[in-house]
Amino acid sequence: MSEPIKIDIWSDIACPWCYIGKRKFEAGSGLFSGAGDGRAVEVEYHSFELSPDTPVDFDGSEVDFLAGHKGIPAEQVHQMLDRVTGIASSVGLDYDFDALQHTNTVKAHELLHFAKAQGKQLELAERLFQAYFIEGGHVGRVESLADLAESVGLDRAEALAAMESEEYLDSVREDQRTAAEYGINGVPFFVIDGKYGVSGAQDAATFAQVLEQVWSERAAEPAATAEASA
């Protein structure tokens, strides 16, 4: 049986397309895995901050942030958010931009690295996205993040200590350096089997097609190696 195909995903908890892309990738990898013969994927999340200068406690709405800090007219922002909300709904996500609390996400990224060390990264990533985009939760304050960590079975005190000590900040920065080396300037970005890059929240069929291509190439490699040594 072949090893699972490794998927490295650069994303930010504050990125609406990243949660949508997560759902589309899950659907695509499900189509791929459903074909059988041991097809499987292994996912790891990596840190990317869209707005690292954002304060932890931003005084205003998502519309205020995009209009005031990004220079986008408020009417255009509303149209953008309505469009994103509709696309999110099409993949089963009920975004609530009115309740959303815009914040700095570096501590959330540190917590994701802590969760990875505990074997709970995927569960925490889902929980953070859900809290931010659907529940109006705060994912910038360490106390709130510790509560979310506990909700997926992580030790709250250990999670809090890891964030307060910045134990995983170097890991966050290493992810960001790697993203720069890859030329990643937007998320979500998927690196498949270490050699194929897929940018954006592509359709499930696109993800399934790329995974199947990688699987087929893997299957052809032993034959090519055998021919070369003959």
Side-chain angles (χ1 to χ4, degrees), residues 156-193:
R156 188 185 189 283
E158 290 180 3
L160 189 59
M163 289 183 286
E164 290 179 336
S165 67
E166 299 186 340
E167 180 180 354
Y168 291 95
L169 182 58
D170 286 346
S171 298
V172 173
R173 300 305 181 215
E174 180 60 30
D175 277 354
Q176 293 169 330
R177 284 190 290 270
T178 302
E181 290 169 5
Y182 281 160
I184 299 171
N185 51 27
V187 287
F189 194 92
F190 304 77
V191 176
I192 299 175
D193 215 29

Side-chain angles (χ1 to χ4, degrees), residues 91-111:
V91 294
L93 299 173
D94 188 17
Y95 280 9
D96 187 349
F97 283 108
D98 290 335
L100 185 148
Q101 298 187 65
H102 201 84
T103 187
N104 189 289
T105 58
V106 69
K107 288 300 177 185
H109 286 297
E110 290 178 35
L111 186 61

Side-chain angles (χ1 to χ4, degrees), residues 195-211:
K195 54 185 177 181
Y196 292 105
V198 177
S199 178
Q202 302 292 332
D203 288 338
T206 300
F207 286 119
Q209 182 179 6
V210 175
L211 290 168

